[in-house]
Every structure is written in C-alpha cells, then in structure tokens.
Amino acid sequence: MSTLRADFDAIAAIGRDPEGGWTRPAYGAGESEAHRWFAAAAEAAGLSVRQDAFGNSIARREGRPGTPAIAIGSHLDTVTRGGPFDGALGVLAGLEIARRVVPGPDDLALEIIAFRDEEGRFGALTGSRAMTGDLPADALSTMRDTDGTGLRSAMRDAGFPVDSPLAARRNLSELAAYLELHIEQGPVLETGGESIGIVTAIAGQKRLAVRFAGTAGHAGTTPMELRHDAFAAAAEFAVGFRDMIVKEGQGSARGTIGIVKTNPNQGNVIPSDVRIGLEIRDASAELLTLLAGRTVTIAAKTAKRHGVEVSHRLVYEAAPVPMAPRLVDLLEAQARAAGHASRRLLSGANHDAGILGAHIPAAMLFVPSRGGVSHTPEEHTDWHHIEAAVAVLEGCVRRLISAEHTI
Amino acid sequence: MSTLRADFDAIAAIGRDPEGGWTRPAYGAGESEAHRWFAAAAEAAGLSVRQDAFGNSIARREGRPGTPAIAIGSHLDTVTRGGPFDGALGVLAGLEIARRVVPGPDDLALEIIAFRDEEGRFGALTGSRAMTGDLPADALSTMRDTDGTGLRSAMRDAGFPVDSPLAARRNLSELAAYLELHIEQGPVLETGGESIGIVTAIAGQKRLAVRFAGTAGHAGTTPMELRHDAFAAAAEFAVGFRDMIVKEGQGSARGTIGIVKTNPNQGNVIPSDVRIGLEIRDASAELLTLLAGRTVTIAAKTAKRHGVEVSHRLVYEAAPVPMAPRLVDLLEAQARAAGHASRRLLSGANHDAGILGAHIPAAMLFVPSRGGVSHTPEEHTDWHHIEAAVAVLEGCVRRLISAEHTI
C-alpha cells in the first residue's frame, strides 16, 4: 500500500492550482503530465503502454495470446480547483493491482486504462465515449469548453490530431470486463459506516425545464385572491415535486430543483415568470418515466390552482446503465470474505463505467467521501477504506483473469 | 369635462419617451414643463400660483381671509416609460374642480397642489415630505437617483437651490384637509365593476430579507433523506407564508415574495443558499406585527424540518396611515347620492395622501385601472369613471369649503 500512497502523492504534485486544489483540465498541461507519469510508472512495473488516438493511456499485461483483457480504469483530469481523489485514485488502484497481479500463460490479459476528459471540459466522458464509439458524429467541431476552445484544436495542441470522433473506437470484444474504483462523492457510505460501496447501476436521468407564467402586479395594490403569482405556483410545485419523489421514488430516486429564476425579481412586484430547472435520477428507466410524468401532472395542477400558465420541455435524458450482476455478486462476495462492511448502492453520478457498461460487463466499487463532498480541495477518503477496496478489487481481478468466476 | 380631457391631452404631450410611454423624472425637463403648463392653466382659470422651495406648485383661490384651505393634489412626474394617468389625473381633476368651484366670501380657501418626485427618482414622495417636514435631515446630500445624481444638484439645475430639507416646510394649520384622486393601480375596482374606490387607509408595510442556508451537494449522489436543501426549505416556507397571509390576514393583508435568489443555481447541485425578499402590507399596525411574527415562526419551523439554517432581518417598515373617517364617510355619501357604484378599499401603494394624512385629515378616491396595471404605457382608465369621480370630489369640496360638513 505504501507504493499506492507514493503514487498518489506523485499525481497530487501535478496540476496544483495557485488558488487552491487541483486543476487538470482535459488535454491541458496537467492532465498530459499525469498521463506521462502514469505511462512511466506502468512501464517501470513491466506493463506495455500505448496512447490511443484520443490520448487515453492503456497499460497492458498480456495473458494467453489472443484472450481479451480484464480492464481497470478511471481518469486523470479534474474539475477546476477539484480534489486529489476523483479519478486519479481509480487509475492508481489499477496500477497497484497490476504490480501485484501478473497473468499466467493461461490467464486473460490485464489492462489499466486512464481516460481523458471524464469531467467534461468538452462535454463529459469524452475519452471513454471515444473508445466505445459513442461520441456524436459532429463531436470534433461542436464540443467546446466554456472559453470557446474546440475539442479538435485542444487535442491537436496536446499532440492528438484527429479527423474523426471514431478515431479511437475499439473492438470491444478485446475487453472481457471493465472495473472501476472511485470515490462515492456522496454521503451514503460515511453515514452507514461502510468502507465499500458496490454499485448496482449508474442512474439514468431526465432533466426538465419548467416555466410558470403568471401576471406581474403591484405587491401593494393586488389583493391575494386576484393574483396570478408565478412564484407562489412554482413554490407549491417544488413542494409537491419533492414529496412525490420521496413517496413514489421507491427509496432510490433522486429529484432536485437546482435552478430557479424569478422575474422581475423585485421586492414590490408579484413575480410574472419563474423558470425552474430540475432533474430526476434513478436506476430504473420505467420509474424515471413514471416520475417525470407525475412531475408534469403536478406542475399542471399547481398552475391551474394559481391561475398561471405552465410549460415544460425535456432538456436532457440518459438511460440507466445496470452494472453486470455477476460482477456485482463477485465484488460483494470478496468484500464479505475479507470482512469489510459494504453496501449495494446506486451511482447517481455518471462515470466511465457507465459508458463502458452499456457495451461490456462492468462494475464499480465506491469508497467513502468524507462529508460526502467532492469537486473541492477538501475531497478526502481515509486510507484504510482505500486499502480495503483495493484488496477486494485485487481478489476480484485474480478470479476474473483466471476465469475462476464466469462473468 | 371636455376641458379636463383637453388638459389631459396637453400634459400627455409632455415627456413622451421615444421608446414608448411617458418619462417625466423628478426635477427633469418633462416634470418642470408640466409644472409650467399647470401654472399657466391655473392662472388662466383665475387662481394665484406659486412654487415652494422644493418646486411644488400651489395654485390657490382665496376664501375668507385667514381661513385654511381645502387642498386637492397629486403629482406630475412619472416613472420611466410609465403611463399618462398616474399622478397627472389627480392634479388635473383638482384644476377642473377649481374652475367650477369659486369659494364665497365666507368659505374656506381652495388649493390645488402638484407635488414633485412622488415616484421616487430620489426616494419617493419627496415633494410632499418636504412640505410636511418629513424628509430626513441629510436628505439633500444622501438622496440620489440610480445614476448617482444627488437631489441637491438636480434641484439646483431645475431652479430650486436649497440648503435645508426643511426649506419648503409649511405650517400645516394652513390646510384644513387634503384630497387626492388617483388611479387604483390594482384590479379591485375593475373586478368589482365599481367606478369609485374610497380609500380607508394607506397600508403600512414590513419588508423582510430571509435567508435559508443549507449544504450544497451533488444532485445525483445525495439521497433525498440526507439533504439539507435550501430551496426545498424556501419553497415550503413560501407556501406556508402565502397560506398564513390568506388565512390570518383578515382579507385585507397582502404578502408577497418578489425576490428569490438561489445559489449556486446549477442543475446538478442541491441549492446551498436561498435568499428571499418579502413584504407584508396592511392598514393595521397590530396585524402587520402579528403577520411578521408568524412569518418568522414559519421560516424557523420549515428550516428545522429541512435541517437548514435560517436568518432574517427587517429591511424596511412604514406605519399605516388611516384616512380621516369623516372624509371617508362624506365621499361615500356623495358617491351614493350620485348613484355611482363605489367600494371602500385599502391603498396598498403609498401616495402623497399618505404623507399629508399623517398630519392633517386626508382622503383619497380611486378610479379603476384597466387590467389592474400601471407604470406602463398601457395604463388606462375609462373616462366615464373619471367623470363620476370628479363629480363626487367636486360635491365633496363644495360641502367642505362651505363648512357644511365638519371634518
């Protein structure tokens, strides 16, 4: 474990932000330096390393020639002023396991993959989507960061000139399974006192924009019963939405109103217009559809009660991605055998495993996030949890490369 | 009535805004031109006209020497791109009545007053507060418009150099009563089908800033039961606040949440912080205090239920100003005698009558606002309502100057 700790410190020395935390944007200097460090460390451990056309680093130990690989991966980029664990931990855990586990002549191969742009400087999960062929056809010209820099030009500047979003697409039969260790980025494990979370699915989501349109009016001269108050309607809708998610969400669904824009937003004017941005996440596509429908019904009923207009549109949706049940069972059995407290949980956030998992068997292990926080410099996971999770993942990989466990 | 209509058209030719509506800011060219027009018209009708140190125009017909006056007034300034009725109508109604009513040798005097800066370029009701001595001691140096122009310099440029906010203070025993005709700026009369509203009081108000502080969290990774969602708390508070105002506001109180600021206002982040700006208005100081107290209690209980912090502060308050009961009765009797549909109502907005009324007997008549709107170019009142209200006011003035009705 001391090697992993040293590796962690080495990566954590890359991309320190003068304003605090770590800033390693995709295809920027910090991310590329981290990939160079990873390649050198993997080669030093005896792995062969290559970068694909999108700059994803793939370190490999061969098994029996021609067999597919068990892949362990995550990413080395960070959000702006993020923490040191998100992404890097999963890559380094893979590297540590590759040091310990050397496939025999009859085993499957082992790959450690560091993906590019998981955090979405250019649109989220770019590297893994490039590998699976899931990038949109116009990705190179349309994906831009918030400063307007295009994906194509950033990749060219980083040494990866590409002409097609399919340039890094891989024959996925080369991979037997994909495993990822990641920080939870939520409070569930810490609250429950478990060291290990076994992800059952990457949640799907639906994002809705809901607009309540009432009538502006003088706050002093308009009696309560003659108002068409867009915020009064929006607030009642928000209460109904939350209650509905809690009641009908089967304990797993999450519903969040993150965006609220009130117009004209003046103290003495009854709001004429409120725009709400909300999202619903769950592992079940059926439940997501049901909850989104109920949301629209609640909005319509609330608007009617307040004499205001309401409209909505679906601004984004992503299907849930279930993790491979036999991998989930294996991880759980390994954790139990090692005596570590674990629980099954839903990943509310998307991960590279959510991209790979739509094509090949995939699974994820979570370790607890102190205070449930991530994407800040305060992001932290205690090392004893990490040690436990790496050991469980190692045991799992040993079973898988020797095909003792059927995927 | 054709004279009043012609007067209205004359004032409406002043201060047309190229972008629509009327813009006659206080002490600006349009307001001053309207005052010059008023002075000329009043002199043409045989009144003597003066401007006080703050530029308020006072047109007077003497009655018995040494007697106080019955004053009719309103203002000639407008908001930016406002309508043609707000303020001007009340001044012109007074002028029309002064044409018709000439005090006899034993009568009280009659005054028509056009106040400056009612709309608050420099802080609201500046002219009437100057007349009653209610301006703060530092008004000349601290009152500024939104561009940073100070009251003192704007007044100097308009021809009114003053060194003291008390420069226009008047001995209010010179005025026996103050009457004002104004558009309602709300939907009550139109909804009720009445031509005339008789104001019973200018509402007092309390404005509160309420802040809910929760914990930001990933909308995907944080289960519903582990959230400290500031907007969920704020929405529930908003519903409770409105219900409470409706239930405990005795049918007269108005409560409005006009300002809502949500942080960080991102779709995938649970809101950490919501700031609400609300106001409560009513004619009863006791009820206002009760409702503000109930508001704070609801905020505290809601915050506790959601595990978030709440704080609040009183950012503004103004005491209610009751209209003189005997004047209210007289106006109502006149309206009834003339067969006009009328109703008593509360003025939720403040007016010059709210400033004068804190010192001398005052009363107000409202005429209906089409669609309840004002402060826009669409502001409109049908002329048959105006004719009715002017006739009622005229009858009232005749009774008052002859002292047939004791105030």
Side-chain angles (χ1 to χ4, degrees), chain A residues 93-104:
Chain A
L95 177 61
E96 176 65 18
I97 289 166
R99 286 201 189 95
R100 300 182 195 173
V101 179
V102 179

Side-chain angles (χ1 to χ4, degrees), chain A residues 38-256:
Chain A
F38 170 71
E43 283 172 355
L47 285 78
S48 62
V49 182
R50 67 181 176 95
Q51 286 193 308
D52 69 14
F54 268 69
N56 299 312
S57 296
I58 303 166
R60 184 173 172 104
R61 274 198 202 285
E62 289 297 341
R64 182 152 59 92
T67 57
I70 301 298
I72 306 170
S74 198
H75 59 97
L76 294 172
D77 60 321
T78 69
V79 296
T80 302
R81 291 187 290 286
F85 290 85
D86 184 356
L89 183 64
V91 174
L92 300 180
L95 177 61
E96 176 65 18
I97 289 166
R99 286 201 189 95
R100 300 182 195 173
V101 179
V102 179
D106 289 330
D107 288 348
L108 303 189
L110 180 59
E111 281 191 11
I112 316 303
I113 308 178
F115 289 105
R116 292 270 181 171
D117 194 27
E118 192 270 351
E119 296 290 2
R121 174 181 171 191
F122 294 100
L125 303 148
T126 306
S128 48
R129 286 195 289 163
M131 186 175 285
T132 57
D134 287 321
L135 284 176
D138 59 358
L140 293 173
S141 55
T142 60
M143 288 169 72
R144 298 191 169 274
D145 68 10
T146 52
D147 293 333
T149 303
L151 173 61
R152 186 198 298 266
S153 92
M155 286 181 64
R156 189 183 52 227
D157 291 351
F160 304 99
V162 287
D163 288 324
S164 161
L166 298 177
R169 186 180 192 172
R170 194 169 174 185
N171 180 345
L172 292 173
S173 66
E174 295 170 11
L175 298 179
Y178 176 81
L179 302 168
E180 184 167 355
L181 185 156
H182 203 281
I183 56 170
E184 180 200 338
Q185 305 180 273
V188 174
L189 296 174
E190 182 178 76
T191 304
E194 293 100 0
S195 285
I196 294 171
I198 296 155
V199 175
T200 53
I202 308 288
Q205 62 173 292
K206 288 182 190 283
R207 287 188 208 153
L208 298 177
V210 182
R211 180 183 175 212
F212 294 92
T215 310
H218 191 298
T221 65
T222 315
M224 302 307 286
E225 69 277 11
L226 295 180
R227 297 179 173 210
H228 306 279
D229 182 336
F231 182 68
E236 196 173 307
F237 163 73
V239 172
F241 169 72
R242 192 189 145 88
D243 287 352
M244 180 275 293
I245 295 289
V246 169
K247 222 172 283 172
E248 305 185 30
Q250 302 181 5
S252 59
R254 282 144 205 187
T256 308

Side-chain angles (χ1 to χ4, degrees), chain A residues 263-323:
Chain A
N263 277 310
N265 222 29
Q266 286 176 17
N268 61 348
V269 181
I270 297 162
S272 57
D273 180 285
V274 176
R275 287 162 196 267
I276 278 180
L278 68 86
E279 53 151 81
I280 308 167
R281 304 201 194 202
D282 196 68
S284 155
E286 293 69 31
L287 185 56
L288 271 181
T289 300
L290 174 87
L291 297 176
R294 296 279 294 118
T295 300
V296 171
T297 305
I298 291 169
K301 284 189 179 166
T302 311
K304 198 171 174 194
R305 253 196 311 277
H306 286 267
V308 306
E309 300 293 314
V310 67
S311 58
H312 73 278
R313 70 197 163 85
L314 182 70
V315 291
Y316 175 78
E317 64 179 330
V321 178
M323 298 290 92

Side-chain angles (χ1 to χ4, degrees), chain B residues 130-157:
Chain B
M131 186 174 286
T132 57
D134 286 320
L135 285 176
D138 59 359
L140 294 174
S141 54
T142 59
M143 288 168 73
R144 299 190 169 274
D145 68 10
T146 52
D147 294 331
T149 304
L151 174 61
R152 187 199 299 266
S153 93
M155 286 181 64
R156 189 185 51 228
D157 291 351

Side-chain angles (χ1 to χ4, degrees), chain B residues 33-158:
Chain B
E33 187 182 340
H35 276 258
R36 283 194 299 275
W37 181 93
F38 170 70
E43 283 172 355
L47 285 78
S48 62
V49 182
R50 67 183 177 95
Q51 286 193 309
D52 69 13
F54 269 69
N56 298 312
S57 295
I58 302 166
R60 185 172 170 105
R61 273 199 203 284
E62 286 299 340
R64 182 153 58 95
T67 57
I70 301 299
I72 305 171
S74 199
H75 59 96
L76 294 172
D77 60 321
T78 69
V79 297
T80 302
R81 292 188 289 285
F85 290 85
D86 184 355
L89 182 64
V91 173
L92 300 181
L95 178 61
E96 175 65 17
I97 288 167
R99 286 200 189 95
R100 301 182 196 173
V101 179
V102 179
D106 287 331
D107 288 348
L108 302 188
L110 180 59
E111 282 192 13
I112 317 303
I113 309 178
F115 289 106
R116 293 269 182 172
D117 194 28
E118 192 270 351
E119 296 291 2
R121 174 180 172 193
F122 295 101
L125 303 148
T126 306
S128 47
R129 287 195 288 163
M131 186 174 286
T132 57
D134 286 320
L135 285 176
D138 59 359
L140 294 174
S141 54
T142 59
M143 288 168 73
R144 299 190 169 274
D145 68 10
T146 52
D147 294 331
T149 304
L151 174 61
R152 187 199 299 266
S153 93
M155 286 181 64
R156 189 185 51 228
D157 291 351

